[in-house]
């Protein structure tokens, strides 16, 4: 159930930490106002200090088309608060569930994508310099822990950044150092109501399980776990600044375009590929070798998992000339006497994509997904691969198997996405496919979730 949180004025107001270094005089700023405690607190403190800081404040509320009348009440609450503070109010309505189905996303993924897309549109159309979101230290801790559990690289552990630059303007997080308890204490001191979203306790959402189950359990081991996770994010961000400068300095000397020609020099090549000088690469520390390989893949639009990076590193350092490797992305690698050549695989030839083993039980990453298998017994590895003509699957509650191609038709999957649609095969049977719920098998349980870009 959704309700207004009733609060009474306290004798003193809790101090709310506000990063004013992000708020320069003259800034035209919209605050994302959902109606929850965090966003209401951010709106109130920015409104109270807008004259002092010299900023022009607006409020923005996105109706996600979920939760019916309760969401309508959230929208009205946000509009009333903005009006009481004398702040221009912007609102927009989207159909998150429909978008999630079209793009084969979770509700969480679709809601986030739509929210930031609207923020960017808002900045463009209303000449706003930035949008402020009310992420707190608790949000930071949950984000870092979630990314760690998914196997993120160091840049992923940098978590929520205080400022993110888009072409249309910036996204700012001015209360990222404040805790959720400080937020609620601040509102209590003001006598300010807020809205509670019951879905924030639904264990179906990963973040809610982190927030209400895992983090409280970890706090029994270390009461300062949230602060330590937030500190890890700050350390990781600073580390990434250093690494970015190192890669910018070294990459031009190790990453080569075109193909070598007899007598020296390089000839332009019509194919989209990058070569890495393996002699110079192996002279670098291992940490830098990994960074350079991931940077090279990123220039081709491919984000490498740890497993893929290690395979590529082994090929670069120990591989023999002529040896080839296909990786998710899709990415092709070939070793020559002095170079490692990388090129994107043609999406029209999915049979070239390497099959990725998935331990039973165990975990593996492929196709931008993280797969987990739970089993009471150890058995032969499953295989993560792209679908093939002739594949059949048994949907849950269906009377029998059907062609996977027919399922893709029903999901309206076509083009490049169709060519590389992932499935998991075990003992000759497809036990998982993206976008469909298959008939479960007794011996094992398999789950998969989208990996966030690092």
């Amino acid at each position: 159930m959704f309700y207004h949180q009733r609060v009474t004025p306290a004798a003193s107001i809790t101090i709310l930490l506000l990063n004013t270094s992000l708020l320069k005089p003259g800034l035209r700023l919209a605050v994302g106002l959902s109606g929850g405690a965090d966003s209401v607190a951010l709106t109130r403190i920015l409104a109270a200090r807008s004259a002092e800081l010299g900023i022009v404040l607006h409020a923005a509320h996105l109706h996600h088309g979920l939760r019916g009348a309760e969401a309508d009440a959230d929208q009205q609450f946000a509009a009333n608060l903005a009006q009481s503070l004398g702040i221009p109010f912007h609102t927009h309505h989207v159909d998150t569930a429909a978008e999630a189905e079209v793009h084969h996303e979770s509700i969480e993924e679709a809601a986030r994508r739509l929210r930031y897309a609207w923020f960017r549109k808002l900045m463009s159309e209303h000449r706003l310099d930035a949008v402020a979101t009310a992420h707190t230290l608790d949000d930071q801790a949950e984000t870092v822990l979630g990314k760690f559990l998914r196997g993120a690289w160091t840049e992923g552990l940098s978590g929520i950044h205080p400022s993110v630059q888009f072409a249309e303007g910036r996204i700012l997080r001015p209360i990222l150092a404040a805790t959720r308890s400080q937020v609620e204490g601040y509102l209590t001191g003001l006598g300010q109501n807020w809205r509670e979203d019951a879905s924030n306790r639904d264990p179906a959402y990963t973040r809610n399980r982190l927030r209400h189950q895992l983090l409280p359990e970890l706090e029994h081991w270390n009461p300062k776990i949230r602060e330590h996770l937030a500190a890890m994010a700050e350390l990781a961000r600073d580390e990434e600044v250093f690494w970015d400068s190192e890669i910018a300095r070294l990459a031009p000397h190790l990453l080569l375009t075109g193909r070598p020609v007899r007598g020296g020099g390089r000839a332009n090549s019509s194919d989209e590929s990058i070569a890495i000088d393996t002699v110079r690469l192996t002279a670098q520390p291992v940490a830098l070798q990994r960074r350079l390989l991931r940077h090279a893949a990123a220039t081709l639009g491919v984000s490498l998992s740890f497993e893929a990076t290690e395979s590529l590193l082994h090929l670069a350092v120990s591989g023999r000339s002529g040896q080839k490797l296909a990786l998710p992305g899709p990415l092709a690698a070939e070793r020559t006497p002095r170079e490692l050549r990388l090129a994107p695989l043609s999406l029209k030839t999915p049979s070239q994509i390497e099959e990725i083993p998935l331990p039973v039980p165990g975990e593996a990453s492929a196709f931008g997904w993280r797969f987990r298998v739970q089993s009471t017994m150890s058995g032969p590895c499953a295989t993560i691969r792209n679908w093939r003509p002739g594949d059949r699957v048994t949907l849950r509650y269906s009377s029998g198997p059907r062609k996977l191609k027919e399922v893709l038709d029903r999901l309206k999957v076509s083009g490049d996405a169709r060519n590389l649609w992932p499935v998991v095969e075990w003992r000759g049977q497809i036990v998982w496919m993206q976008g469909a719920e298959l008939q479960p098998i007794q011996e094992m349980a398999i789950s998969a979730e989208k990996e966030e870009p690092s």
Side-chain angles (χ1 to χ4, degrees):
M1 175 181 178
F2 290 75
Y3 59 92
H4 285 289
Q5 176 72 34
R6 300 298 180 187
V7 294
T8 55
S12 61
I13 295 178
T14 300
I15 295 175
L16 189 63
L17 298 174
L18 182 70
N19 185 354
T20 57
S21 68
L22 299 172
L23 309 171
K24 303 301 182 184
L27 183 73
R28 293 175 56 84
L29 177 70
V31 57
L33 177 57
S34 67
D38 297 343
S39 69
V40 171
L42 178 58
T43 303
R44 286 297 306 264
I45 195 170
L46 288 174
R49 300 187 61 180
S50 60
E52 167 202 342
L53 296 169
I55 62 176
V56 178
L57 191 63
H58 294 234
H61 177 91
L62 183 62
H63 191 308
H64 287 93
L66 306 168
R67 301 183 292 109
E70 293 164 344
D72 295 340
D74 289 347
Q75 184 182 49
Q76 189 59 54
F77 174 85
N80 292 344
L81 179 59
Q83 183 179 30
S84 70
L85 296 173
I87 301 171
F89 182 69
H90 308 273
T91 189
H92 183 60
H93 191 289
V94 293
D95 188 341
T96 303
E99 284 284 325
E101 184 175 357
V102 168
H103 293 274
H104 312 292
E105 299 170 308
S106 68
I107 292 294
E108 291 173 294
E109 291 169 335
R112 186 182 188 279
R113 177 176 57 80
L114 292 169
R115 188 161 55 249
Y116 282 95
W118 182 57
F119 287 162
R120 295 176 68 174
K121 184 178 180 183
L122 200 63
M123 287 187 284
S124 175
E125 293 182 351
H126 294 274
R127 296 192 306 139
L128 296 167
D129 301 308
V131 173
T133 63
H135 291 92
T136 65
L137 183 143
D138 294 78
D139 295 314
Q140 183 71 289
E142 293 157 11
T143 299
V144 173
L145 180 58
K147 293 204 172 191
F148 174 78
L149 293 174
R150 288 192 292 271
W153 291 84
T154 313
E155 60 264 35
L157 298 181
S158 64
I160 303 170
H161 289 219
S163 176
V164 179
Q165 182 70 52
F166 291 105
E168 300 84 357
R170 291 181 297 157
I171 302 295
L172 306 178
R173 284 77 181 240
I175 58 171
L176 198 53
T179 65
R180 195 163 289 129
S181 62
Q182 289 169 345
V183 163
E184 294 185 1
Y186 172 75
L187 292 177
T188 301
L190 292 175
Q192 171 66 59
N193 296 341
W194 66 87
R195 297 280 294 174
E196 292 283 357
D197 182 346
S199 67
N200 286 336
R201 290 195 168 273
D202 186 347
Y205 297 108
T206 301
R207 183 172 286 272
N208 289 343
R209 295 196 297 275
L210 290 171
R211 178 177 300 173
H212 300 300
Q213 298 174 18
L214 185 53
L215 268 171
E217 179 65 26
L218 291 174
E219 282 181 314
H220 290 306
W221 294 81
N222 185 343
K224 290 190 172 291
I225 184 67
R226 296 171 195 267
E227 289 85 350
H228 290 330
L229 288 167
M232 181 186 295
E234 186 169 355
L235 288 171
R237 283 198 302 275
D238 291 340
E239 293 282 332
E240 288 309 304
V241 172
F242 166 77
W243 280 114
D244 285 347
S245 65
E246 279 295 280
I247 294 299
R249 181 176 66 85
L250 290 171
H253 303 288
L254 280 82
L255 271 57
L256 309 168
T257 58
R259 294 183 177 273
V261 295
R262 185 173 299 178
R266 306 186 71 83
N268 291 333
S269 176
S270 58
D271 65 330
E272 184 183 355
S273 64
I274 289 178
I276 302 168
D277 186 322
T278 54
V279 175
R280 291 185 178 181
L281 178 71
T282 54
Q284 306 301 324
V286 175
L288 189 52
Q289 292 175 17
R290 289 194 183 101
R291 294 268 175 171
L292 286 163
L293 289 173
R294 294 188 69 236
H295 173 75
T299 61
L300 298 175
V302 175
S303 178
L304 294 179
S305 67
F306 176 79
E307 293 87 351
T309 304
E310 293 304 283
S311 297
L312 205 55
L313 183 61
H314 179 75
L315 180 62
V317 175
S318 306
R320 63 184 184 277
S321 180
Q323 190 174 354
K324 297 180 180 180
L325 178 66
L327 295 167
L331 188 71
E334 181 180 2
R335 186 69 157 80
T336 70
R338 289 184 56 90
E339 296 179 353
L340 177 69
R341 298 194 62 80
L342 303 179
L345 278 171
S346 170
L347 294 178
K348 297 180 180 178
T349 55
S351 60
Q352 296 178 11
I353 305 302
E354 184 180 40
E355 297 180 348
I356 306 298
L358 174 60
V360 178
E363 302 184 8
S365 292
F367 294 89
W369 291 80
R370 185 69 180 175
F371 296 87
R372 294 180 177 86
V373 175
Q374 293 178 316
S375 177
T376 56
M377 53 175 279
S378 295
C381 283
T383 300
I384 309 167
R385 61 171 174 83
N386 50 286
W387 81 283
R388 297 167 184 159
D391 282 340
R392 290 179 175 269
V393 294
T394 302
L395 300 176
R396 190 164 193 171
Y397 309 119
S398 67
S399 58
R402 64 177 61 188
K403 291 181 179 179
L404 195 149
K405 177 181 179 297
E406 294 175 359
V407 179
L408 292 178
D409 289 340
R410 193 180 71 176
L411 292 173
K412 295 182 171 58
V413 179
S414 60
D416 293 342
R418 187 186 186 102
N419 288 331
L420 292 172
W421 202 256
V423 301
V424 176
E425 181 182 346
W426 188 58
R427 291 178 171 174
Q429 177 183 351
I430 293 178
V431 294
W432 179 93
M433 71 169 288
Q434 181 181 345
E437 187 177 4
L438 304 189
Q439 185 70 34
I441 56 176
Q442 188 174 7
E443 297 91 338
M444 66 185 292
I446 182 169
S447 62
E449 61 181 12
K450 275 281 192 180
E451 292 188 312
E452 296 183 22
S454 298

